[in-house]
Amino acid sequence: MAMNGINNQSNISSLYNSIFGIGSNNDGGTSYGISDLAMIRNGSYGKLMKAYYATENTEKTDSSKTETEVKADQAKLVNVKSQAASLNNSLEDLRSKSLYEPTGTDEKGKNTYDQDKITKSIKDFADKYNSFVKSSSEVDSTSVLKKTVNIVGFTSKNAAMLSKIGITIGENNQLTINEEKLKNANVHDVSSLFQGSGSYGDAVQNLARQSYQLANSQAYQSGSGSSYTYSGRYSALGGANGMLDRYL
């Protein structure tokens, strides 16, 4: 594998880690490197790396942008903010203890659960995750891209557990759901992925909140339209905050 003329894998790893701060456990407890690229299909990490380098050039020439271009960039950041809020809220639902409480017992005396409700919540998470990854990979922001790469990488590290409950990583890091497999999954496997401090869901939620704050701040800084939320933070262009402002 080669990147920008660098052929030694350890050198690539050092470059990658220095850019994205990977291995320092600063983002939701994640720790991974360039060797994990094989777990993510269709060169999606490479696309994010190209986007990173593109943002370096873009950020150096911001002063030459037209008003239309600035507004377009701002709209993309507001969209990331909205998608991050939605992702946070779907993960908050998956943390709920009531979602995994038994609803009764079967003829063998084993606990039964509301599998339809669990399936609906997982499908909502996958939808919100996909929308967030897509929106954040389109912005000209190195800091937002760093969070996106960390989320994608952390998801790849949990690919085996996610697959066990019917969630797989597809093209461009989009999640796909095998609904039949999900409905037959062990409820404990689902809850262990999304509940509790240090879980997969907890790490992704923390990164989504950080992305929200970054996108909100950068959208405000790039234009004059703003308003205050009740918590005293800027709401760029009056964009949709949903439930997330309660946590910021």
Side-chain angles (χ1 to χ4, degrees):
M1 177 178 180
M3 185 180 298
N4 289 342
I6 302 175
N7 296 304
N8 182 278
Q9 184 168 331
S10 63
N11 289 340
I12 298 174
S13 182
S14 297
L15 171 65
Y16 184 84
N17 294 348
S18 67
I19 292 173
F20 291 105
I22 291 175
S24 60
N25 291 324
N26 290 327
D27 292 312
T30 61
S31 179
Y32 46 87
I34 200 71
S35 62
D36 296 309
L37 297 186
M39 300 174 68
I40 300 179
R41 302 171 185 174
N42 298 311
S44 296
Y45 256 129
K47 294 177 184 177
L48 288 175
M49 287 292 284
K50 289 179 181 179
Y52 170 84
Y53 286 115
T55 59
E56 279 198 321
N57 294 328
T58 299
E59 290 175 353
K60 291 176 182 178
T61 59
D62 276 348
S63 59
S64 65
K65 286 188 174 182
T66 66
E67 182 178 355
T68 299
E69 289 172 331
V70 170
K71 288 183 177 180
D73 289 343
Q74 191 177 45
K76 290 179 181 179
L77 287 165
V78 171
N79 186 37
V80 169
K81 172 189 170 181
S82 176
Q83 299 302 333
S86 295
L87 177 57
N88 170 83
N89 295 341
S90 69
L91 285 165
E92 192 67 24
D93 290 340
L94 284 169
R95 292 174 71 101
S96 174
K97 290 182 179 179
S98 63
L99 185 64
Y100 309 104
E101 290 177 349
T103 56
T105 56
D106 60 18
E107 63 277 5
K108 296 181 180 180
K110 293 184 178 180
N111 288 333
T112 57
Y113 302 87
D114 191 339
Q115 295 287 3
D116 288 337
K117 187 176 182 180
I118 293 173
T119 297
K120 182 179 179 181
S121 295
I122 293 292
K123 289 174 68 176
D124 181 68
F125 157 70
D127 179 62
K128 300 303 190 299
Y129 177 100
N130 291 343
S131 295
F132 168 77
V133 170
K134 184 177 185 298
S135 66
S136 60
S137 65
E138 294 173 348
V139 299
D140 293 328
S141 167
T142 57
S143 55
V144 170
L145 281 169
K146 286 179 183 180
K147 301 303 177 185
T148 307
V149 168
N150 275 300
I151 288 176
V152 165
F154 198 71
T155 298
S156 77
K157 291 290 285 186
N158 286 272
M161 281 297 295
L162 290 167
S163 178
K164 192 174 181 180
I165 67 169
I167 304 174
T168 56
I169 305 169
E171 184 178 358
N172 292 325
N173 299 312
Q174 298 288 285
L175 301 182
T176 58
I177 303 293
N178 182 325
E179 193 166 332
E180 182 178 356
K181 189 173 182 179
L182 175 57
K183 286 185 175 181
N184 291 316
N186 187 305
V187 172
H188 175 72
D189 290 337
V190 180
S191 63
S192 64
L193 268 168
F194 294 99
Q195 278 193 312
S197 177
S199 67
Y200 165 76
D202 180 57
V204 174
Q205 187 174 36
N206 286 333
L207 289 165
R209 291 177 179 179
Q210 292 170 32
S211 298
Y212 174 99
Q213 291 174 316
L214 286 167
N216 186 54
S217 174
Q218 291 175 27
Y220 168 72
Q221 292 173 10
S222 68
S224 58
S226 65
S227 62
Y228 273 111
T229 65
Y230 65 82
S231 61
R233 297 184 183 275
Y234 280 110
S235 170
L237 300 179
N241 296 313
M243 294 173 58
L244 192 57
D245 281 329
R246 301 179 189 181
Y247 306 103
L248 299 178

